[in-house]
Amino acid sequence: PKQRGLCGDIYAELKSRLANKGITLSIQSTYTPIKRIMQKLKTGSAQAYCGAGRNAEREKKYYFSNVPLYSVSNVLIARSYKKTGPTSFEEMESSQSKMGTYFGTSTDRFLKNRGNINIVESFYTLNKAFTALDQKKIDYFYYHDLALNYYLRNSTQKLRVLPTKFRTYNHWMIYSKSMHKHARDLMDKELTDMVQSGLIEQFHRKYRVK
């Protein structure tokens, strides 16, 4: 409750707005792995999810919001004594450093398609990934800067986010194809207003490194 995160702020605002239109938004409060979230959306046991990257495979399975919610950049996090690291996908490949990734994410799939990079994709939580970094089981962890910087700001672990941005892309709200169109349209209208009014950007600023 004290650290609900960017999408948590977006959900809370949506819940308030949709309540005025007769729609109850139920926000799950327990942790669920990303693969299970996507499966729940596919089967219709959940209707919407905030913070998803977009690709052709997902477009076949889900609907996406009319506008992207915010952008993120893929970066590396390393042990704090490392001032530099690979600055390109080619350097990742040639160094054969062990690159941890968050299993089941679009970031994980993107990196796997970039060449013969030595990927360790057995991580389902950031806690486990950063413990592996601490214990030198991996050399780097590759994920988006919003999550890594925010986690590091609230962590006592001696880690460092490196400056190279490997790609920048958008995160969206995605909807189950079983979601009623009327409810989806209402939610999308509110999201568009939240983006265009600058409200989501205001939320976003709370979670950036100062």
Side-chain angles (χ1 to χ4, degrees):
K2 294 180 181 179
Q3 297 182 27
R4 63 188 181 191
L6 174 54
C7 279
D9 286 346
I10 292 171
Y11 285 145
E13 178 69 17
L14 273 177
K15 183 174 184 176
S16 174
R17 290 179 177 224
L18 293 176
N20 295 329
K21 302 183 185 315
I23 293 178
T24 300
L25 188 66
S26 176
I27 305 169
Q28 183 175 309
S29 59
T30 55
Y31 170 74
T32 305
I34 185 65
K35 293 280 279 188
R36 196 179 307 163
I37 289 172
M38 294 302 186
Q39 185 62 24
K40 286 163 72 79
L41 288 168
K42 189 176 178 181
T43 60
S45 59
Q47 279 72 54
Y49 173 64
C50 167
R54 188 167 188 164
N55 57 45
E57 181 184 347
R58 286 182 176 175
E59 286 177 350
K60 295 175 185 176
K61 299 175 182 176
Y62 317 105
Y63 294 120
F64 283 76
S65 52
N66 284 328
V67 294
L69 304 183
Y70 56 89
S71 64
V72 294
S73 297
N74 284 154
V75 295
L76 293 174
I77 190 167
R79 291 180 287 279
S80 59
Y81 61 79
K82 287 195 173 185
K83 302 295 191 296
T84 61
T87 58
S88 67
F89 297 112
E90 290 75 19
E91 286 184 14
M92 284 188 194
E93 184 174 1
S94 63
S95 71
Q96 279 299 290
S97 299
K98 292 181 180 178
M99 298 286 171
T101 61
Y102 202 138
F103 180 73
T105 61
S106 59
T107 298
D108 174 40
R109 285 192 292 275
F110 177 85
L111 193 61
K112 283 192 288 188
N113 291 328
R114 298 304 300 185
N116 189 29
I117 297 170
N118 188 9
I119 295 173
V120 181
E121 57 172 350
S122 57
F123 302 108
Y124 296 83
T125 70
L126 293 182
N127 278 332
K128 290 184 179 179
F130 295 161
T131 298
L133 262 178
D134 249 353
Q135 297 174 350
K136 300 184 179 181
K137 293 180 180 178
I138 56 175
D139 299 301
Y140 306 95
F141 186 74
Y142 177 85
Y143 199 44
H144 63 73
D145 54 353
L146 176 64
L148 296 181
N149 283 321
Y150 184 66
Y151 187 97
L152 194 58
R153 192 172 75 184
N154 294 279
S155 171
T156 59
Q157 290 171 299
K158 295 180 179 180
L159 302 173
R160 172 197 303 272
V161 174
L162 300 180
T164 299
K165 293 182 178 181
F166 291 88
R167 67 164 181 152
T168 297
Y169 60 101
N170 292 319
H171 270 181
W172 307 69
M173 183 74 75
I174 60 173
Y175 307 107
S176 169
K177 291 204 169 181
S178 70
M179 186 178 181
H180 196 283
K181 185 177 185 301
H182 175 66
R184 190 176 80 238
D185 287 347
L186 282 176
M187 185 181 288
D188 228 40
K189 183 179 179 182
E190 296 301 331
L191 282 171
T192 298
D193 179 71
M194 289 162 65
V195 170
Q196 293 179 349
S197 68
L199 181 60
I200 291 182
E201 171 61 21
Q202 182 180 324
F203 291 158
H204 198 182
R205 284 197 295 267
K206 290 166 53 179
Y207 301 100
R208 293 178 187 156
V209 172
K210 296 177 181 178

